[in-house]
Amino acid sequence: MIEMPLVDQEKCNGCGLCVSVCYCSALVLVDNVVTIVETEECSWCTNCEAVCPTGAISCPFDIVIEQSRD
Amino acid sequence: MIGSENMTIEIGFLKSIPYFSGLIPGELDLIKKFIFEKTVQRGDIIVLEGDPAEAIYFVGSGAVKMFKTSADGKEQIINIVRPGESFNDVPIFDGGPNPTSAQAMGPVALYGIGKSDLDVILRDHPRVALNVINVLVGRVRQLVSLVEDLSFRQVISRVAKILLEYAGDGTGPSQRLTQQEMAAMAGTAREVVGRSLKALEAEGVIRIDRHRIVVTDREALEYAAEVSS
């Protein structure tokens, strides 16, 4: 399973801005609500989160410390 | 390819633009005549930093990224302009060059007004001049807040602290954070968090690996977290 941006469908107002900025067609509007299509093309550019006027999309990062290779 | 065509702007949309709020239908009809429409595609540069300004733009649909390019070619996003909002206001009013570049983030419909036409609108409709003042003072407040972020508080230091606080060792589940959440925690704008992460990555302190922020130099991150005003 590919990690993909998360959508809070309650918050989505169906404006489609995220769809218009997505480089890889990972977002589509279904019945006026944005839906995620899993794709390896998603580079986590976070443009969808950045443009969303209602905070319905989130692109969370895992934060990890790189283990020493020694 | 940037296209330009005759306007089809709806009065309802025109009324929703802060520049034109409070105008009566007759006035909106007159203003409508000065508006031209432009459609651009993803990646198109709408205005280029340093060029003379020719028009003010209002976003009809889509999103536009305003950015500056640093001397070493790095892009710094200043803000994102959404439907109903305007850009290129400052150079249109002061006659100077475009302070930032504007690029379409996807397909974008724009409504523009040329500089000389805007002068006519301002002369004939004083209400618009009052609205412009309201829009511009709002921008001044945003910029003062940004100056405070950039000069007084050392945002990178706060972002570094957040990363240290939330970093797991990669073996168990870790708490995840969006840039929006980091911005709220650091008391700054999302764009500033994005710049801070890029700066830390450029210094080799972290590596952004799709949806993972990997701390590659913990000591350097701790040092960055300690540097504060």
Side-chain angles (χ1 to χ4, degrees):
Chain A
M1 189 177 134
I2 306 154
E3 196 74 40
M4 295 296 291
L6 308 171
V7 177
D8 181 338
Q9 300 199 331
E10 298 277 307
K11 286 187 185 172
C12 177
N13 67 1
C15 73
L17 263 189
C18 56
V19 176
S20 77
V21 302
C22 180
Y23 285 88
C24 59
S25 306
L27 302 160
V28 289
L29 277 181
V30 177
D31 295 331
N32 225 28
V33 171
V34 72
T35 304
I36 301 285
V37 180
E38 262 189 39
T39 169
E40 286 180 3
E41 300 291 306
C42 172
S43 65
W44 218 257
C45 69
T46 77
N47 279 348
C48 51
E49 179 189 280
V51 300
C52 180
T54 62
I57 300 194
S58 52
C59 302
F61 287 90
D62 286 322
I63 303 162
V64 295
I65 308 269
E66 190 163 63
Q67 295 305 300
S68 166
R69 296 186 189 107
D70 299 337
Chain B
M1 178 71 191
I2 297 177
S4 185
E5 52 205 79
N6 290 332
M7 52 110 253
T8 54
I9 190 168
E10 298 291 331
I11 286 291
F13 178 75
L14 192 57
K15 214 170 145 183
S16 73
I17 295 174
Y19 269 36
F20 306 119
S21 73
L23 298 184
I24 58 171
E27 288 181 297
L28 292 169
D29 279 333
L30 289 171
I31 288 169
K32 195 176 156 177
K33 293 187 172 66
F34 291 108
I35 295 178
F36 64 89
E37 186 176 337
K38 206 171 212 183
T39 52
V40 290
Q41 300 306 317
R42 180 194 313 283
D44 283 346
I45 298 290
I46 304 156
V47 299
L48 193 62
E49 182 181 346
D51 276 2
E54 289 164 1
I56 185 171
Y57 291 102
F58 304 93
V59 176
S61 64
V64 174
K65 177 172 73 179
M66 307 303 295
F67 67 98
K68 286 184 84 74
T69 308
S70 65
D72 56 357
K74 282 183 190 149
E75 179 186 284
Q76 299 195 321
I77 299 175
I78 307 298
N79 69 323
I80 291 171
V81 188
R82 299 182 176 80
E85 297 172 345
S86 56
F87 64 92
N88 230 26
D89 320 51
V90 171
I92 281 299
F93 290 120
D94 74 2
N98 300 323
T100 57
S101 297
Q103 185 177 36
M105 296 178 76
V108 176
L110 295 167
Y111 300 109
I113 301 177
K115 184 171 169 39
S116 54
D117 289 339
L118 190 62
D119 289 342
V120 174
I121 292 172
L122 288 171
R123 192 192 61 213
D124 295 347
H125 306 277
R127 174 70 197 232
V128 176
L130 285 174
N131 288 341
V132 168
I133 291 170
N134 280 329
V135 170
L136 293 183
V137 295
R139 301 265 169 85
V140 170
R141 282 197 179 277
Q142 284 172 358
L143 291 174
V144 168
S145 168
L146 191 63
V147 167
E148 191 183 9
D149 276 346
L150 296 176
S151 58
F152 298 138
R153 293 200 209 142
Q154 298 283 345
V155 178
I156 290 181
S157 158
R158 279 177 284 146
V159 170
K161 275 181 199 159
I162 293 165
L163 294 179
L164 282 170
E165 194 179 324
Y166 283 82
D169 61 7
T171 55
S174 61
Q175 223 175 326
R176 307 172 77 203
L177 284 181
T178 65
Q179 289 187 42
Q180 193 67 57
E181 288 164 337
M182 287 183 227
M185 291 162 77
T188 188
R190 188 184 185 282
E191 289 81 0
V192 181
V193 167
R195 279 206 287 279
S196 301
L197 291 173
K198 275 188 186 170
L200 288 168
E201 189 174 33
E203 288 164 17
V205 180
I206 62 169
R207 184 179 73 242
I208 299 173
D209 188 6
R210 196 171 180 264
H211 65 284
R212 282 157 58 99
I213 295 172
V214 182
V215 178
T216 50
D217 187 341
R218 184 177 184 141
E219 267 182 35
L221 190 64
E222 285 170 345
Y223 179 74
E226 283 165 16
V227 177
S228 57
S229 54

